[in-house]
Structure formats: C-alpha cells, structure tokens
Amino acid sequence: MFDLKSSKWIQILANATLGLLPRSARARFGDANYLGRFVKLASWSMIAFALEKGAQTITILFLARVLGAMEYGRLTLAQGMVNSAQLFVVLGAGTILARYIPAMLDVSVKRAIEIVNLCFVLIFGTASLLLVIGITESSAIAVSILDLPAGSSLPYWVMAWIILTALNGLLLTIMLSFEKGHVTGIVSLAVAISTIAIVPLSAAKWGLHGAIITFTLTSLLRTILFVEFYFKLLRSHSVSAWIAPSRGDLPLLFSFGLPVFLSSAIWAPTMWLAQLILKEYSPDGLISVGLFGFCNNILGLVILISSITNRAALPIMSSLKTQGNRGAERRFIIPVITIQIAASLLIAAPVVIFSSTVLSIMGGEFVGGEAVLIVMAAAGIVISGQQPLINMLLVNDMALTNLMGMAIWAVILLGLTTIFVHMGALGVAYAVLASAIVKGIFVMVTTITPRAAAL
C-alpha cells in the first residue's frame, strides 16, 4: 500500500534532489537524511501550489468566456482588491510565524502558540478595521472601483473574501512551520475540486455575483478545513488554543513584521493601481481591464514553475548560508535560474504561437489582443529567473536592497502605465515588461556588488 506519509518516498525524492544539485552544493548537504525534512515539506508545498494554480487557471479560462471582457474586468478588479487589501490585514504576520515558530518550538509548543495567538490578535484588529471601512464605504467601492450600482451587495462579499484570504494565508504558514505539509495538500485538493465544480457553474447562472460569492465560499471552506486541522494539531500536543500572547513578543511586529510588510505590500497594490488607471483613462475602459487581466493570468502561468521551485530553493539557500558555506548559494542558483527560464520558455512558446486561437476561444471581445498576450508572456520569461537572485539578497540580509528594487519597479510600472494608457491594455503590458527588465538588471547588479560577493 502506497503511503504518502511514509519516509521511503521522501528518501527517494531526497536522493533524486541531491543528484540534481551542482557537485559543489551537493557536497555541502551531506547525506539525504538531512534533506528529507525539507523535501517532505517542499514537496507538499509544491503540490498545494500546483493544485491552487491549476484550479485557478481552469476556472479563469472558463470565466473569461462566460462573463465577457467587461464583467471579467470587474472580477479582475475585485481579485486585485482582495490580493492588495489582505496584505494590510496580515501586516507581515505570516513571515513572523515562518521565522519564529521553528525557533519557539525548540523551547516548547506552548511558546510557539503564544506567538501564533499574537498574530491572530493582530489580524482580528486589522480585519475589524477593514470591516468598518468596508461597511461605511460600500457604496463608494461599488461605484468607484467595481463600476456597479451604489446599492450592490458585492462589496460586502469582497470584504469577507479579503478577510478569509488573509486568515488562510496565516493558517497555511502555521501548518508549514509545524512541518504539517500534507495538510496543505489535502486542503488544496478539496478547495481546488470545489472551485472547479462550483465557481464556473455559479458564474454561468448568476454572472459576476455568482463568481464572487462562490470564490468567497470556497475561501470559507479552506478556512474551515485549516481550523479543523489546526485544533487537531494542538490536541496532539495537549496544548490549549487559548494561550495568552506574550507581551515580550510585541516588538517583533515592528522590528521584523513592518519591513517584511513594506516589501510584500508593493506588488499587488501596484498591479491593481495600474488596472484602475487602465479602467479610468483607456479608450475601452473595462474591456481593456478584462483583456489585460486575462493576459496577466497567462503571465502567472508562464512563471508557474518558477513560483513553485522558489518555495524549495529558498530553504536550500538559507541552509547553505546558515552552515557557513560562503558562496555556495551563488553556485546553487545558476542551475535553478536555468531550469526556471527554460520552463517559462516551454510554457510561453505555445501561448505565443497560438495566441490568436487562445484569445478567440475566450470570446469576440478578446480577439485582436494578440500583442498584449505576447508582451505579457515575454514579461513572464523575464520575471521567471529573478526570484533566486532576490532570495540571495534575502539570505544575505539585504532585505532593504530588495525593497528598493521593488520601489523602483513600482514607480516605473505606474509611470509608464500613465504615459501609455492611451494604448489600452497593450500600453500596460509594455509597462510590465519594461519594469520587469529594469528590476532584473537592478537585482543582477546588486547581487554582484562587493558586499554581496563577500557574503
């Protein structure tokens, strides 16, 4: 009987992973037993990520055709709002847990739960504030952002979607920090099946309302499953969930959480602002947003392998750095970057070749957007090989340098979007490609500076 929790398949994956590493990096890992814990966690993380992305891609392809460009544009704006606002709910709490739960577990499980509950208190406060803002400004959100009637109920569903997304991100980090990777796989499988089965049918029957409501309900399903597994985890350690947070941990919210939040809070809001500029000032308005949103999801597909493998690459690089293997992470990232760029090329090639066919399948309003799709695919190729270099900055304590690079990227993207918005979705696509190139150059230069090289 094949048991996914058994150590045999972990050992096989560990040996295979060691065999793929450069000889210099492989020698520093020692035996595969050390790598086994990482492979187990990373494998489940990649499975969960692949399930989520796969379900999202299938659903989006269907929704773009069913809703049409204008309604899909509204959905794109709602998703952008969720991705942006949930960052302001979490405020870096997820990274705090990822950083400190393993350290606290060396003391006791109770000590780890103290910092978990501190982060829950933080999210409760920020979520409550968001609800107050959402309720009082629901009409403005409906009219100004979603281009809907002032009395629409969708802003309330979007608020719920935001809070559930933030909570799910925190619960995911907790499970990974406790090395319960199989939980993320089980939850992602259940949610992926539900998303594919329910969201398209609801959108086909009730349009945009059906899509947003069922996206919110599938997020609620994810929360329920995660909470059940979390309480099961606590029961297995005979620890109460109602342990009071330690006041001594409060400084972590400012000294660690705030810088992390500032770095992570740039990407999604910047892309969302670009879409709002496109909605307000492009000749075709929401139709342009719908076309750009679809092509942006194709960009996500192009960088899919890069996104998955980066979850595995960062722990390896951190391990090499912690062990004192100076420069080993630099040698390690070369094959990682090569694999990621090669994978993105393999995905982008058929998209570019069959761009007309892909867009025609989506509906008449998407026809003629081949140039947008091609430019966004090219941007995906440029982005795909950058994350290992960014990881190198992070493991070498150069987070501020990464923050500077993100700020430069955001300024260029929004500036070029404003300049070329008269070109519609194509103008924003050019802005995405140009800003990605500049950021790539910045990251490459900073990783070969004397300081980085010395580290």
Side-chain angles (χ1 to χ4, degrees):
M1 181 75 176
F2 181 70
D3 183 7
L4 286 176
K5 293 186 180 181
S6 70
S7 61
K8 184 176 181 180
W9 76 282
I10 298 298
Q11 191 69 30
I12 293 172
L13 283 176
N15 288 324
T17 303
L18 283 172
L20 293 173
L21 295 177
R23 181 178 299 176
S24 57
R26 186 165 64 243
R28 289 164 169 77
F29 274 111
D31 59 51
N33 290 327
Y34 171 78
L35 193 58
R37 288 171 61 194
F38 160 71
V39 172
K40 179 180 180 180
L41 193 60
S43 298
W44 279 114
S45 298
M46 289 187 285
I47 289 170
F49 187 83
L51 286 170
E52 293 171 11
K53 276 293 184 180
Q56 182 184 35
T57 301
I58 294 171
T59 304
I60 283 170
L61 289 174
F62 186 88
L63 291 179
R65 180 172 178 81
V66 169
L67 296 178
M70 184 171 291
E71 288 290 88
Y72 186 74
R74 291 190 176 95
L75 178 61
T76 298
L77 291 173
Q79 288 177 314
M81 186 176 179
V82 171
N83 293 333
S84 301
Q86 64 94 16
L87 295 174
F88 293 88
V89 176
V90 175
L91 291 180
T95 309
I96 291 176
L97 294 181
R99 168 66 178 83
Y100 287 103
I101 282 180
M104 300 303 180
L105 285 174
D106 287 340
V107 179
S108 68
V109 176
K110 178 179 178 293
R111 183 71 183 90
I113 299 305
E114 287 179 355
I115 197 167
V116 167
N117 287 346
L118 174 66
C119 292
F120 277 140
V121 170
L122 172 65
I123 283 191
F124 178 79
T126 53
S128 299
L129 179 60
L130 178 70
L131 277 177
V132 172
I133 295 173
I135 292 172
T136 57
E137 300 296 328
S138 60
S139 296
I141 293 171
V143 175
S144 301
I145 297 177
L146 301 177
D147 200 23
L148 292 169
S152 174
S153 63
L154 281 185
Y156 301 111
W157 286 99
V158 172
M159 291 300 110
W161 192 2
I162 292 169
I163 294 171
L164 290 170
T165 299
L167 183 58
N168 287 332
L170 202 68
L171 290 166
L172 170 65
T173 302
I174 292 170
M175 290 301 162
L176 292 177
S177 299
F178 275 90
E179 297 192 19
K180 300 298 180 181
H182 68 282
V183 169
T184 67
I186 295 170
V187 172
S188 294
L189 178 60
V191 173
I193 293 173
S194 300
T195 300
I196 294 172
I198 298 174
V199 175
L201 292 176
S202 298
K205 187 169 184 178
W206 295 294
L208 178 66
H209 284 70
I212 290 180
I213 290 172
T214 47
F215 269 129
T216 305
L217 292 177
T218 54
S219 295
L220 177 61
L221 172 63
R222 184 189 299 273
T223 303
I224 293 171
L225 292 174
F226 267 136
V227 169
E228 175 62 28
F229 279 112
Y230 176 64
F231 279 101
K232 182 179 179 180
L233 171 67
L234 296 183
R235 287 194 298 269
S236 69
H237 289 284
S238 301
V239 175
S240 171
W242 314 112
I243 299 172
S246 172
R247 293 184 179 180
D249 293 329
L250 282 174
L252 292 177
L253 300 179
F254 303 98
S255 63
F256 188 82
L258 184 59
V260 168
F261 162 71
L262 292 175
S263 297
S264 62
I266 293 179
W267 171 270
T270 300
M271 294 296 290
W272 188 53
L273 285 174
Q275 292 170 13
L276 285 178
I277 294 171
L278 185 62
K279 168 182 171 288
E280 293 295 331
Y281 301 106
S282 67
D284 295 325
L286 279 172
I287 293 177
S288 293
V289 176
L291 175 59
F292 175 78
F294 173 75
C295 295
N296 190 43
N297 281 295
I298 295 298
L299 182 150
L301 184 62
V302 171
I303 65 173
L304 176 62
I305 301 301
S306 175
S307 301
I308 294 173
T309 54
N310 281 328
R311 290 193 175 188
L314 181 57
I316 293 178
M317 295 170 66
S318 298
S319 297
L320 291 171
K321 179 66 178 178
T322 301
Q323 291 178 6
N325 294 318
R326 297 173 60 183
E329 69 274 11
R330 180 183 296 274
R331 295 188 295 272
F332 170 72
I333 65 173
I334 294 175
V336 174
I337 293 174
T338 302
I339 291 171
Q340 291 181 349
I341 294 178
S344 66
L345 284 169
L346 288 174
I347 297 173
V351 171
V352 170
I353 294 171
F354 300 106
S355 57
S356 297
T357 304
V358 171
L359 291 171
S360 64
I361 292 173
M362 295 303 103
E365 293 175 315
F366 292 88
V367 173
E370 291 83 358
V372 182
L373 187 58
I374 292 170
V375 172
M376 292 296 283
I381 295 170
V382 173
I383 293 170
S384 63
Q386 292 183 19
Q387 190 59 44
L389 297 175
I390 295 173
N391 288 345
M392 188 172 178
L393 293 177
L394 296 178
V395 299
N396 285 298
D397 301 321
M398 297 174 67
L400 287 178
T401 302
N402 179 48
L403 179 58
M404 185 184 303
M406 289 296 297
I408 292 172
W409 168 83
V411 170
I412 293 174
L413 175 58
L414 293 178
L416 292 179
T417 294
T418 304
I419 293 172
F420 297 111
V421 70
H422 65 279
M423 298 173 63
L426 182 59
V428 184
Y430 281 137
V432 172
L433 176 59
S435 58
I437 292 173
V438 172
K439 184 188 175 188
I441 294 172
F442 175 85
V443 172
M444 290 177 64
V445 171
T446 53
T447 52
I448 61 175
T449 58
R451 180 187 173 191
L455 291 169

